[in-house]
Amino acid sequence: QVQLQESGPRLVKPSQTLSLTCSVSGGSITSGGYYWSWVRQHPGKGLEWIGHIYFSGTTNYNPALKSRLTISFDTSLNHFSLRLTSVTAADTAMYFCARGRGYSGYDVFDSWGQGTQVNVSS
Amino acid sequence: SSELTQDPAVSVALGQTVTITCQGDSLESYFATWYQQKPRQAPAVVFYGHNKRPSGIPDRFSGSTSRNTASLTITGARAEDEADYYCSSRDTSGDHVIFGEGTKLTVL
């Protein structure tokens, strides 16, 4: 069973860059058919899709974050990463990584990390 | 459209049946996937596609779609079903994933 684990700084200063890594175990990020995603949840709010990356390197990003966002992977370390620049307090959230799979007519995030809380504050 | 609309809160008496709905234009092209999230936990999928349930999810969870509305039904609700429920699909462009705002289910 694949397991995902987020890591990275819990506190980021405004205007700086938020960088998180999701380590994948029990499976390879090069596994065909899957994509690797980031989802966040503002305090007391709902889920927000951030974006995802396919093994091919193709990315899809939330249009609201696209100008500040980069998702990449490192196959040698079997992990993928999120980089969000110019953060503000509005980026304070719980960040989840997840494995997704697209089918004809639907997508499923079938494995999730436990989440990591990131606070943006000076 | 890039929105999925859910009722903020729904309640059900223990053992009764409850339906949580999700409305959006994208649901005319895509099935909804339903996630359950309990406090301080990551979401977990409970229903997806055309009548699919992950292994380990009890068959009291079922789903359906009609036009632009997807529904998740819990038949015989149990105390452990109390959670937030989110629907998800692609947006109408097909390029992006979207989530509903979530429905807080209270089991009385």
Side-chain angles (χ1 to χ4, degrees):
Chain A
Q1 171 131 357
V2 70
Q3 292 185 316
L4 293 84
Q5 177 68 58
E6 304 89 350
S7 61
R10 301 295 184 94
L11 181 64
V12 183
K13 288 181 168 39
S15 80
Q16 294 192 344
T17 297
L18 183 164
S19 295
L20 296 174
T21 294
C22 182
S23 299
V24 179
S25 59
S28 172
I29 64 169
T30 63
S31 298
Y34 294 104
Y35 55 81
W36 305 91
S37 309
W38 291 96
V39 175
R40 71 181 182 180
Q41 188 168 33
H42 294 102
K45 301 296 184 183
L47 303 171
E48 179 184 25
W49 173 74
I50 296 172
H52 57 240
I53 186 168
Y54 295 85
F55 172 60
S56 64
T58 299
T59 54
N60 286 92
Y61 295 155
N62 185 322
L65 300 170
K66 185 175 182 177
S67 64
R68 301 191 288 129
L69 179 63
T70 303
I71 297 176
S72 59
F73 58 72
D74 186 325
T75 56
S76 65
L77 296 176
N78 210 41
H79 74 209
F80 62 105
S81 301
L82 172 150
R83 185 171 180 269
L84 187 66
T85 62
S86 304
V87 297
T88 70
D91 295 307
T92 291
M94 179 73 77
Y95 286 77
F96 296 97
C97 59
R99 185 181 75 172
R101 187 160 188 166
Y103 298 87
S104 177
Y106 59 94
D107 292 74
V108 182
F109 294 118
D110 62 1
S111 296
W112 294 70
Q114 64 185 23
T116 188
Q117 177 66 37
V118 177
N119 294 313
V120 178
S121 173
S122 55
Chain B
S1 167
S2 300
E3 293 182 352
L4 295 174
T5 301
Q6 298 182 242
D7 291 327
V10 171
S11 62
V12 61
L14 190 67
Q16 296 304 301
T17 296
V18 62
T19 296
I20 299 169
T21 61
C22 172
Q23 204 164 25
D25 291 343
S26 63
L27 298 178
E28 305 221 27
S29 303
Y30 298 97
F31 289 107
T33 297
W34 290 94
Y35 298 91
Q36 177 193 69
Q37 187 182 30
K38 296 182 178 180
R40 295 171 297 284
Q41 294 186 18
V45 57
V46 294
F47 201 86
Y48 63 99
H50 179 62
N51 202 28
K52 296 182 184 297
R53 231 180 352 263
S55 61
I57 300 300
D59 61 6
R60 64 177 181 273
F61 289 87
S62 62
S64 63
T65 301
S66 177
R67 297 185 181 178
N68 71 338
T69 301
S71 301
L72 176 72
T73 298
I74 306 173
T75 303
R78 302 178 67 161
E80 59 261 38
D81 299 334
E82 187 163 286
D84 294 327
Y85 290 86
Y86 295 92
C87 60
S88 177
S89 82
R90 291 275 175 155
D91 67 4
T92 50
S93 76
D95 291 333
H96 312 116
V97 174
I98 51 176
F99 287 96
E101 311 105 314
T103 297
K104 183 177 182 60
L105 176 67
T106 300
V107 180
L108 304 171

